[in-house]
Amino acid sequence: MKASRLRIPALLALPALSGLLLPPALPSAAAAPSGSRQPARQAAHAAPRAPTNLPPYGLREDVQSYMRSLNEADPSLDLAWLERTVGQARHVPQVTRLIMPPPVGTPKNWQAYRERFIEPRRIEAGVAFWAEHAAALAAAEQRWGVPAELVVGIIGVETFYGRITGGFRVLDALATLAFDFPSGRSDRSGFFRDELTALLQLAHRQNLDLQALRGSYAGAIGWGQFMPSSWTRYGVDFDGDGEVALQRSAVDSIGSVAHFLAAHGWQAGLVTHLSVKPPADGTALATLLAPDIRPTFSASQMQALGAVLERAPAGDGRLALVQLHNGTAAPSYVAGTENFWVVTRYNWSAYYAMAVIELGRAIAAQRLLEAPSPAPTPSTVPTTATAAPAPAGSTSAAR
């Protein structure tokens, strides 16, 4: 969604909330130790502090006006039901703190960020997740063309394979951000009001228990951390039980993540990025970095500006020079393809996209290492222990 914890243009970015989700914040150069139990700001998914004793949202005039307007626009949402449901929502001060951006001047550190996700416990959990859901991952790849390792990488970064899905009541989180969005950053209250509306419509349609539904501090839900509007738009009943249950079904989440990426333009067979050496000339480097992570340049244009690509990509697709800061050390660079851009539609952050991609690759590599050796063929059967010879005159054929 962003390049720091929330860099928000469409909120996937929070549009990348779009999909969903909020990624873990970019760590500073003084990052938490590798392998810490929760990545930075995923403490934000832990149980929230108790709401203060502010009046319930249902008693506020602005909220009552919102409910009346919602009922007028969608009469299927009965006003009495809205009043009962929204009346349960409570303000959560912790949400307004967590939605704020990191302090100005905090250096980003790709290597520290990477170490929080590409680490033994998460890789081990990803291998187990893939083994358990191999059929669903293969079916999703066949249907939407999205590699299983990418879906596994996203779910691993988002929620550690369902272990960290959020401790905030989603109704409270969205109401807090819809009606009490904090000052000090660009106002996204309209976005969260729309997400609250989508949540209420979803709950009414699927009979969700909003007293129990938990998610992130920004209202993202389930294994893949979908915002309610993305649940509605991209959610898939992939396990065939008749309902989309992203809050409890890993299989539905697998299908929904793949569907989301395909809907945002995933191209089967196209790599996500290429190795690149940036130009030495500062002006040329600035030109290539100006569009940020949006693919803008052809390979020949990048090369003409002095970038050295590992190889020319197939076709005439666009590329972006992606810069990843490493605290006080020199930055890292990759050339992002249009598929790299698609991954950032899930979360508007090059750091997030690289973590997802590299986690998925690490898990795929570990699966190969752990795969059982193939049964020996007749030509490779060991000869150090042979069967006893058949008795003389035996008519039995060797087997």
Side-chain angles (χ1 to χ4, degrees), residues 158 160 167 194 198 218 221 288 325 335 339 399:
E158 286 297 336
F160 206 145
D194 289 345
I221 306 162
L288 289 173
H325 292 280
N339 271 356
R399 289 199 171 132

Side-chain angles (χ1 to χ4, degrees), residues 344-369:
T344 66
R345 300 312 81 212
Y346 205 97
N347 186 308
W348 196 308
S349 166
Y351 300 78
Y352 172 88
M354 285 299 298
V356 160
I357 292 163
E358 294 202 10
L359 177 61
R361 288 182 175 180
I363 291 167
Q366 186 64 29
R367 287 184 80 238
L368 288 177
L369 288 175

Side-chain angles (χ1 to χ4, degrees), residues 34-380:
S34 172
S36 60
R37 184 152 188 83
Q38 291 183 333
R41 253 174 124 154
Q42 276 201 357
H45 291 286
R49 299 186 184 98
T52 60
N53 293 323
L54 295 173
Y57 278 110
L59 298 180
R60 284 174 39 170
E61 177 53 38
D62 59 335
V63 180
Q64 292 173 3
S65 176
Y66 160 78
M67 291 187 289
R68 289 192 296 269
S69 297
L70 188 53
N71 168 253
E72 291 169 4
D74 184 359
S76 70
L77 296 175
D78 178 71
L79 185 57
W81 179 84
L82 285 171
E83 290 172 343
R84 287 195 306 273
T85 303
V86 179
Q88 299 168 3
R90 297 294 186 272
H91 177 85
V92 183
Q94 190 179 0
V95 165
T96 61
R97 291 192 293 272
L98 290 169
I99 203 69
M100 297 301 289
V104 175
T106 302
K108 300 170 188 173
N109 190 327
W110 158 238
Q111 291 303 321
Y113 185 85
R114 182 187 186 280
E115 289 175 4
R116 295 185 176 182
F117 299 101
I118 295 77
E119 51 88 19
R121 292 183 315 109
R122 204 171 296 246
I123 292 170
E124 180 184 9
V127 170
F129 178 85
W130 197 329
E132 182 178 359
H133 300 294
L137 288 161
E141 183 166 351
Q142 181 177 22
R143 179 170 175 181
W144 288 290
V146 178
E149 69 182 49
L150 186 60
V151 175
V152 171
I154 285 177
I155 294 175
V157 169
E158 286 297 336
T159 63
F160 206 145
Y161 306 103
R163 298 183 189 183
I164 308 171
T165 57
F168 292 85
R169 196 167 68 161
V170 176
L171 178 65
D172 294 337
L174 290 178
T176 297
L177 295 173
F179 302 115
D180 290 309
F181 196 87
S183 59
R185 68 164 306 137
S186 94
D187 183 12
R188 297 298 297 177
S189 58
F191 168 83
F192 287 105
R193 196 164 300 194
D194 289 345
E195 291 299 331
L196 176 60
T197 298
L199 176 70
L200 293 168
Q201 292 170 334
L202 188 65
H204 189 265
R205 184 169 61 250
Q206 294 194 195
N207 196 31
L208 297 178
D209 181 1
L210 293 187
Q211 286 275 39
L213 187 64
R214 296 296 192 271
S216 77
Y217 67 82
I221 306 162
W223 294 65
Q225 292 289 275
F226 273 48
M227 296 300 288
S229 64
S230 289
W231 179 330
T232 298
R233 194 173 299 119
Y234 306 109
V236 175
D237 173 21
F238 208 47
D239 59 14
D241 68 353
E243 64 176 331
V244 180
L246 303 187
Q247 80 281 25
R248 57 178 171 75
S249 171
V251 173
D252 283 359
S253 297
I254 286 167
S256 300
V257 169
H259 180 215
F260 177 92
L261 295 172
H264 283 81
W266 181 266
Q267 300 175 45
L270 177 66
V271 299
T272 54
H273 62 282
L274 301 167
S275 297
V276 63
K277 181 179 178 181
D281 178 72
T283 301
L285 178 62
T287 298
L288 289 173
L289 292 176
D292 196 18
I293 56 178
R294 185 181 294 275
T296 304
F297 304 97
S298 66
S300 60
Q301 287 173 327
M302 290 190 77
Q303 291 164 335
L305 285 164
V308 180
L309 291 167
E310 120 189 55
R311 60 183 170 83
D316 58 355
R318 304 282 102 177
L319 298 170
L321 183 64
V322 177
Q323 183 182 64
L324 301 163
H325 292 280
N326 292 308
T328 57
S332 302
Y333 295 90
V334 298
T337 68
E338 288 160 341
N339 271 356
F340 188 91
W341 173 254
V342 170
V343 178
T344 66
R345 300 312 81 212
Y346 205 97
N347 186 308
W348 196 308
S349 166
Y351 300 78
Y352 172 88
M354 285 299 298
V356 160
I357 292 163
E358 294 202 10
L359 177 61
R361 288 182 175 180
I363 291 167
Q366 186 64 29
R367 287 184 80 238
L368 288 177
L369 288 175
E370 296 180 8
S373 301
T377 62
S379 62
T380 60

Side-chain angles (χ1 to χ4, degrees), residues 11-37:
L11 225 76
L12 224 202
L14 288 177
L17 276 184
S18 146
L20 323 129
L21 352 227
L22 286 168
L26 291 177
S28 66
S34 172
S36 60
R37 184 152 188 83

